[in-house]
Amino acid sequence: MDERAALRLLSDELAAAGDDAAVVDGLVVTTDMLHDRTDFPDGTSRYTAGWRAVGASLSDVAAMGAPATAAVAAYAAPTFDREELLAFVRGASDVCERVGTEYVGGDLDGHDEFTVSTTAIGRTDDPVPRSGARPGDVICVTGTLGRSAAALRLFDRGAVDRANDLFRFEPRIAAGQGLAPHATAMMDSSDGLARSLHQLAEASDCGFAIESDRVPIADAVRDVADDDDEALELATTFGEDFELVATLPEEALPAARDATDVPLAAIGSVRDAGDGVTMDGESLADRGYTHG
């Protein structure tokens, strides 16, 4: 059973499952686990690991349209190296500071592989679910896509400084709050744009039609891709970008753009469920990042 099959199994058992984070009496809570083998390529600094691990959970809070309250992490490694541990905590603290929240500690444990489990909390009385998209809405994404794909190529090439820089994304906490009054559905793009669209389509019982020339591709992707087709492939299917994917009424788009602190690209529209998920009129495969 792969990760997605396991998630489907658990969603049948847990009625509240399905969104980026759980919301209990206005408290938004989410948790993530990252491993050296699957999530941190050779050359990833412990500072970047701290930033990225905590940022992943903060991104889930952002996807609910909530401000972040705090974050914690459980750090496990074969040994506790002083400089590595301090670098991790500084990265975790800095990503929290970037989005106006606080890293407040966590736990330490021994493990045969560097592993991090993070939890972030926020608060909102009006969370944005994945299930509200309606035919006629526009589908939008924040920022640009493909940074993590470009980083992985650069790690492989030994360009670790630039790769680490690309791996340190800014969680879209402010953008999520700006979009929340307008969005009918929202999630982050950690699994990739294509897979996110399929997940939103399933949750909202709708279809999507997007246009490839509207997909905002990060400049770094074009630097490492062989051609435009590969750049589009990396931007739409690699994942791990942690941008927001949201639907909103077309008439709300100008106000939503004014309310977000990053570019907001309208890439297509919501269709009826029977129309499926398409790009440039062709079926868009449900492909994206899956934890190994």
Side-chain angles (χ1 to χ4, degrees):
M1 183 185 304
D2 64 14
E3 179 192 15
R4 298 198 70 205
L7 288 171
R8 289 193 203 95
L9 173 68
L10 294 176
S11 67
D12 292 337
E13 296 291 318
L14 301 171
D19 288 316
D20 287 54
V23 183
V24 183
D25 294 331
L27 180 68
V28 178
V29 59
T30 183
T31 190
D32 293 277
M33 184 178 292
L34 285 77
H35 301 277
D36 202 18
R37 177 175 57 87
T38 55
D39 298 292
F40 303 120
D42 288 344
T44 305
S45 69
R46 280 291 196 268
Y47 178 87
T48 296
W51 179 296
R52 190 170 179 82
V54 171
S57 289
L58 291 170
S59 181
D60 287 334
V61 173
M64 304 305 293
T69 304
V72 297
Y75 177 107
T79 61
F80 296 128
D81 178 270
R82 180 182 186 278
E83 294 305 318
E84 289 183 348
L85 183 57
L86 288 174
F88 177 89
V89 169
R90 287 164 183 159
S93 298
D94 284 353
V95 72
C96 286
E97 183 178 351
R98 177 69 66 87
V99 298
T101 190
E102 187 176 5
Y103 178 70
V104 294
D107 192 23
L108 296 173
D109 198 3
H111 197 280
D112 59 2
E113 179 186 13
F114 172 53
T115 299
V116 185
S117 180
T118 59
T119 297
I121 58 174
R123 186 167 290 280
T124 180
D125 292 324
D126 192 19
V128 184
R130 296 182 181 184
S131 55
R134 301 184 296 261
D137 286 350
V138 294
I139 178 78
C140 301
V141 295
T142 60
T144 59
L145 302 174
R147 282 172 56 104
S148 289
L152 194 65
R153 292 279 177 93
L154 292 167
F155 276 124
D156 288 342
R157 297 174 186 179
V160 296
D161 289 343
R162 188 177 181 209
N164 274 282
D165 181 64
L166 289 170
F167 239 30
R168 294 192 294 269
F169 64 92
E170 181 173 337
R172 299 306 189 192
I173 294 289
Q177 293 174 80
L179 286 167
H182 311 286
T184 53
M186 190 156 63
M187 67 180 294
D188 82 356
S189 66
S190 57
D191 291 337
L193 175 63
R195 180 149 293 166
S196 295
L197 292 174
H198 279 274
Q199 290 170 332
L200 284 172
E202 182 178 358
S204 293
D205 190 26
C206 67
F208 291 103
I210 70 168
E211 299 175 28
S212 62
D213 60 359
R214 294 188 179 186
V215 175
I217 301 174
D219 290 340
V221 178
R222 301 192 187 279
D223 292 341
V224 302
D226 291 335
D227 52 36
D228 288 346
D229 288 341
E230 186 181 33
L232 179 64
E233 176 81 2
L234 292 173
T236 54
T237 66
F238 184 86
E240 294 287 278
D241 283 319
F242 303 98
E243 295 292 349
L244 297 179
V245 183
T247 60
L248 57 153
E250 186 172 9
E251 62 270 20
L253 184 57
R257 282 181 165 146
D258 287 343
T260 56
D261 61 339
V262 293
L264 183 68
I267 62 171
S269 60
V270 182
R271 303 295 178 88
D272 292 328
D275 293 337
V277 178
T278 65
M279 182 166 66
D280 299 336
E282 302 292 332
S283 180
L284 180 63
D286 183 1
R287 294 175 53 209
Y289 185 84
T290 301
H291 288 275

